[in-house]
Amino acid sequence: MAISSSSKLLVLHFLFALYLCQSPARADTTAFIHSRAAYYPNSDQQGTSDGACGYKTFGATLNGGDVSAASNLYRNGVGCGACYQVRCTGNSLCSPNGVTIVITDQGASGNTDFILSQHAFSKMGLTADAGASLLSLGVVDIEYRRISCSWPNKNITFKIDEASNFPGYLAFLIEYQQGAKDITAVQICETVNLTCKLLNRSYGTVWTANPPPSGPLLIKMLVSGDEDGDETWLVPINTIPENWKAGDSYDSGVQLN
Ligand SMILES: *[C@@H]1O[C@H](CO)[C@@H](O)[C@H](O)[C@H]1NC(C)=O
Ligand SMILES: *[C@@H]1O[C@H](CO)[C@@H](O)[C@H](O)[C@H]1NC(C)=O
Ligand SMILES: *[C@@H]1O[C@H](CO)[C@@H](O)[C@H](O)[C@H]1NC(C)=O
């Protein structure tokens, strides 16, 4: 009896493990990766307004100034706007949750994966005093994992770059992308004949059309898949109006989770 019921239990455990493996609901269980982090030398408590991603002044205040430059994770600009949980390790000054940062720049300092804003770096401390003590260390051991970005009450927004020149040269940024996926390609479509063309990433998160089509414009975004690898085109509800202006922002009407 005893043997039979314990082997039944084993079968149950096995089936449960199988069920867990096949469960489509994935929690935020990405493993932490060990690395090191430094911080920007300027004592600015903000983010950076001249980061490689091209966010300009938006990058200074984004996420309350909790932003970072990335080295490998920059991925030629694909990594711009991605969110990471970063926490320091091996030090009693470190808070268990660390800080959530957004990538706005490219850079490395020695063998670091992140150069955090000072605001973000000190937030890895348990207290404000602990944060100040961390700053005095300069570089710390960390562990990090990619997490979903959350922008409550924001849709994905197209910001027309100041360098744009109506009607012949359109450069725009993609801002407030939620979730933990990447935008790997962008198409611009004119809405009269519905013809689309692939755009090139100019740098960072800046895409250019030179010249853009005329009329209202639809900007489609190719979104990376999960482990199953299926990429999908995200199609906005709203178009960019035909008389778009440099410096203006246009709400796409769509968002990722
Ligand atoms: C749409 O196609 C027609 C016919 O080819 C062309 O004459 C017109 O200029 C096109 N419109 C736009 C906005 O591209
Ligand atoms: C993208 O870049 C390639 C190579 O530089 C170029 O041939 C192509 O015309 C560009 N596409 C657009 C839409 O500007
Ligand atoms: C996002 O887009 C939806 C659909 O167009 C719209 O109803 C909603 O108001 C937008 N949200 C914000 C915060 O603008």
Side-chain angles (χ1 to χ4, degrees):
M1 277 302 279
I3 289 169
S4 143
S5 66
S6 77
S7 60
K8 263 185 204 157
L9 212 63
L10 270 177
V11 168
L12 274 179
H13 274 148
F14 176 71
L15 287 177
F16 185 59
L18 210 64
Y19 164 76
L20 280 183
C21 289
Q22 294 177 340
S23 169
R26 291 188 314 117
D28 215 357
T29 53
T30 321
F32 279 96
I33 299 168
H34 289 280
S35 183
R36 288 162 71 74
Y39 60 87
Y40 283 102
N42 58 337
S43 60
D44 214 333
Q45 278 296 296
Q46 288 193 310
T48 176
S49 57
D50 57 3
C53 291
Y55 291 122
K56 307 217 171 69
T57 52
F58 176 75
T61 53
L62 184 61
N63 197 31
D66 291 333
V67 299
S68 182
S71 48
N72 291 332
L73 299 170
Y74 181 74
R75 295 180 290 142
N76 288 319
V78 176
C80 289
C83 297
Y84 291 89
Q85 181 184 3
V86 181
R87 60 187 189 194
C88 60
T89 57
N91 192 315
S92 57
L93 299 168
C94 299
S95 83
N97 290 329
V99 62
T100 297
I101 55 93
V102 182
I103 301 300
T104 58
D105 196 7
Q106 178 183 29
S109 168
N111 55 350
T112 61
D113 269 298
F114 299 94
I115 303 178
L116 301 169
S117 68
Q118 289 204 15
H119 194 263
F121 195 93
S122 54
K123 243 189 177 172
M124 292 191 296
L126 266 176
T127 61
D129 282 351
S133 303
L134 283 177
L135 283 174
S136 69
L137 297 175
V139 179
V140 292
D141 288 330
I142 57 140
E143 53 187 17
Y144 71 87
R145 62 176 178 177
R146 182 148 184 200
I147 58 170
S148 278
C149 297
S150 173
W151 303 113
N153 305 316
K154 293 280 184 196
N155 290 323
I156 291 176
T157 301
F158 303 113
K159 161 85 192 238
I160 311 298
D161 193 74
E162 307 286 354
S164 299
N165 194 359
F166 184 85
Y169 177 68
L170 173 63
F172 62 89
L173 289 80
I174 299 173
E175 296 177 346
Y176 296 119
Q177 176 200 345
Q178 270 192 174
K181 294 183 176 180
D182 298 324
I183 292 174
T184 54
V186 168
Q187 279 187 328
I188 196 164
C189 309
E190 54 93 349
T191 50
V192 179
N193 296 324
L194 286 174
T195 51
C196 301
K197 64 176 179 180
L198 276 172
L199 294 184
N200 289 322
R201 187 187 292 273
S202 177
Y203 63 94
T205 185
V206 181
W207 301 82
T208 50
N210 184 18
S214 55
L217 302 172
L218 193 64
I219 291 171
K220 298 183 186 175
M221 294 156 281
L222 187 63
V223 179
S224 67
D226 296 320
E227 285 78 39
D228 56 20
D230 288 339
E231 297 184 306
T232 48
W233 283 99
L234 178 64
V235 181
I237 290 174
N238 303 324
T239 55
I240 291 183
E242 56 187 319
N243 55 347
W244 51 264
K245 280 208 279 295
D248 280 2
S249 289
Y250 300 103
D251 186 327
S252 68
V254 292
Q255 185 54 282
L256 294 165
N257 292 314

